[in-house]
Every structure is written in C-alpha cells, then in structure tokens.
Amino acid sequence: MIEGVKISYDGLWKLLIEKKIKKQELRVQAGLTHSVITKLNREETVHLDVLLKICKVLDCDIKDIVAIRENKTND
C-alpha cells in the first residue's frame, strides 16, 4: 500500500444495502473467493479485475464502490 493513502469500500457496502444483496450473494455472482471478501472487509487492496467483476454484477462504476482517502497520521 502507498504510504499516506487508504482504500475505502464504504460505497460498496452502501450499494449492497441499497440493492439488498448480501456479501455471500455478491461473492457467488461475481465469482470471488472468500479471501477477496475478507480483503474488502479489511479495506485492503484488491486487483482491478475484482473491482470490475463487482461493478458488472452491481451495474455501477468503480467510483461508486471504492474511494481513495488520505491516511492522516500525527507526526
């Protein structure tokens, strides 16, 4: 991960709630592994292919499911 940058998948979780889709359903429909869902839960980076599969299932754009935020630390 790039220092000072944090990934957020808050948009993904909100979209799943709006569309009433469970994480397990998304995993199956997008052909994802359990480890990928775990990475998303931990706000870790995933391959672009994963994000594209999710976007295809949810009929959305990447910007709807992922955000890049500055990780503010006290120096």
Side-chain angles (χ1 to χ4, degrees), residues 58-70:
L58 298 178
D59 190 30
C60 67
D61 194 276
I62 288 178
K63 70 181 182 338
D64 298 326
I65 62 172
V66 65
I68 300 170
R69 302 218 168 99
E70 186 177 339

Side-chain angles (χ1 to χ4, degrees), residues 27-52:
R27 187 186 70 75
V28 171
Q29 289 180 26
L32 307 175
T33 63
H34 291 284
S35 62
V36 167
I37 297 297
T38 299
K39 282 184 172 190
L40 293 168
N41 282 325
R42 294 179 180 168
E43 295 192 333
E44 296 176 2
T45 58
V46 295
H47 289 275
L48 181 59
D49 293 0
V50 168
L51 299 176
L52 293 175

Side-chain angles (χ1 to χ4, degrees), residues 18-33:
E18 287 174 16
K19 293 185 179 252
K20 298 179 181 176
I21 298 174
K22 296 182 183 196
K23 291 178 187 178
Q24 174 66 12
E25 293 174 55
L26 174 66
R27 187 186 70 75
V28 171
Q29 289 180 26
L32 307 175
T33 63

Side-chain angles (χ1 to χ4, degrees), residues 7-19:
I7 301 290
S8 171
Y9 299 108
D10 290 346
L12 170 60
W13 310 132
K14 289 176 186 175
L15 197 55
L16 288 178
I17 291 168
E18 287 174 16
K19 293 185 179 252

